[in-house]
């Protein structure tokens, strides 16, 4: 497929860095993703010994997705790239992909939701709230976004209490009181409990 791509560019069928190139890179990534890691390494070693000095980028899915996203920044490309990094356990790289996705396609709420969830998962509530604010600008009525603000402020208040900072917890409670969701279900009782703990 790489040889086909080189030939297509040399023959003038494709422009370098075009959406057509992106489609080929995504196809290669799809093939390489299915291979076991050992098979990829054996193939890379065989190509390297046969053609020393060649650019063997096509064995690296991250590189393939990066090239495809640069050539044709499409939500499906970023989604596949993000899922690839998550599957490999590269959470920091996955966050980088989501940030780039959000920057390239500012109207997409999906990367902001992913960033909101991943930063909350590692306890970075303030950072997660910053992504909630951005997501609210894109789609303020999204149910996941609306639930997240209450949840993150409540978790921040609880953490502040655990850290011996009732003043900070009270500040979070004031922010929660301004939310419509704070009056739903059993939440008023939960908030009364937090206020008691603050006092």
């Amino acid at each position: 497929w790489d040889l086909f791509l080189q030939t297509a560019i040399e023959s003038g069928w494709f422009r370098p860095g075009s959406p057509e190139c992106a489609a080929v890179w995504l196809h290669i990534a799809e093939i390489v993703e299915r291979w076991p890691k050992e098979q990829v390494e054996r193939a890379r070693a065989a190509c390297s010994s046969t053609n020393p000095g060649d650019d063997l980028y096509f064995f690296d899915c991250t590189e393939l997705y990066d090239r495809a996203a640069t050539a044709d920044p499409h939500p499906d490309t970023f989604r596949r790239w993000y899922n690839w990094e998550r599957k490999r356990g590269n959470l920091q790289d996955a966050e980088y992909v989501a940030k780039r996705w959000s920057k390239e396609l500012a109207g997409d709420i999906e990367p902001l939701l992913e960033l909101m969830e991943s930063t909350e998962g590692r306890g970075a509530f303030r950072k997660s709230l910053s992504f909630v604010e951005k997501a609210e600008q894109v789609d303020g009525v999204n149910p996941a976004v609306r639930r997240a603000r209450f949840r993150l402020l409540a978790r921040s208040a609880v953490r502040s209490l655990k850290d011996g900072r009732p003043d900070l917890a009270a500040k979070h409670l004031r922010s929660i009181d301004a939310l419509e969701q704070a009056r739903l279900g059993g939440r008023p009782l939960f908030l009364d409990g937090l206020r008691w703990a603050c006092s």
Side-chain angles (χ1 to χ4, degrees), residues 113 116-117 120 128-129 132 135-136 139-155 176 179-182 184 187:
L113 295 176
M116 181 182 80
E117 188 180 300
E120 181 184 2
S128 191
L129 273 168
V132 169
E136 284 171 338
D139 183 2
V141 296
N142 184 293
V145 176
R146 289 168 64 87
R147 285 192 304 269
R149 180 171 282 283
F150 177 88
R151 184 179 68 248
L152 288 165
L153 285 169
R155 290 187 74 182
I176 293 171
L179 300 176
E180 195 178 306
Q181 304 96 299
L184 299 175
R187 288 176 177 178

Side-chain angles (χ1 to χ4, degrees), residues 93-137:
D93 291 343
E95 280 191 22
Y96 162 78
V97 174
K99 285 176 185 172
R100 184 164 155 195
W101 179 358
S102 180
K103 186 177 177 183
E104 294 275 348
L105 303 167
D108 275 13
I109 198 166
E110 190 176 343
L112 294 169
L113 295 176
E114 295 290 358
L115 287 164
M116 181 182 80
E117 188 180 300
S118 65
T119 49
E120 181 184 2
R122 54 185 169 83
F125 301 140
R126 187 182 299 174
K127 189 77 175 164
S128 191
L129 273 168
S130 74
F131 291 121
V132 169
E133 286 165 11
K134 289 178 183 175
E136 284 171 338
Q137 292 169 10

Side-chain angles (χ1 to χ4, degrees), residues 35-175:
W35 288 3
K37 189 177 178 181
E38 301 75 28
Q39 185 177 351
V40 174
E41 292 308 318
R42 280 199 306 273
R44 188 198 305 270
C47 283
S48 184
S49 63
T50 308
N51 303 298
D54 275 9
D55 181 5
L56 304 179
Y57 75 92
F58 42 81
F59 288 117
D60 183 349
C61 284
T62 296
E63 176 67 23
L64 289 162
Y65 284 127
D66 190 0
R67 289 181 182 214
T70 301
D72 186 20
H74 191 277
D76 288 342
T77 301
F78 281 111
R79 190 176 297 111
R80 283 177 57 182
W81 186 7
Y82 179 82
N83 290 336
W84 163 250
E85 299 298 353
R86 286 291 300 267
K87 189 171 82 175
R88 296 172 65 212
N90 294 344
L91 299 185
Q92 193 173 356
D93 291 343
E95 280 191 22
Y96 162 78
V97 174
K99 285 176 185 172
R100 184 164 155 195
W101 179 358
S102 180
K103 186 177 177 183
E104 294 275 348
L105 303 167
D108 275 13
I109 198 166
E110 190 176 343
L112 294 169
L113 295 176
E114 295 290 358
L115 287 164
M116 181 182 80
E117 188 180 300
S118 65
T119 49
E120 181 184 2
R122 54 185 169 83
F125 301 140
R126 187 182 299 174
K127 189 77 175 164
S128 191
L129 273 168
S130 74
F131 291 121
V132 169
E133 286 165 11
K134 289 178 183 175
E136 284 171 338
Q137 292 169 10
V138 175
D139 183 2
V141 296
N142 184 293
V145 176
R146 289 168 64 87
R147 285 192 304 269
R149 180 171 282 283
F150 177 88
R151 184 179 68 248
L152 288 165
L153 285 169
R155 290 187 74 182
S156 297
V158 170
R159 175 188 278 175
S160 298
L161 284 170
K162 286 181 178 178
D163 292 345
R165 295 287 311 276
D167 55 326
L168 193 53
K171 181 182 171 188
H172 293 310
L173 279 168
R174 285 192 295 275
S175 298

Side-chain angles (χ1 to χ4, degrees), residues 1 11 30:
W1 280 106
S11 304
E30 187 180 347

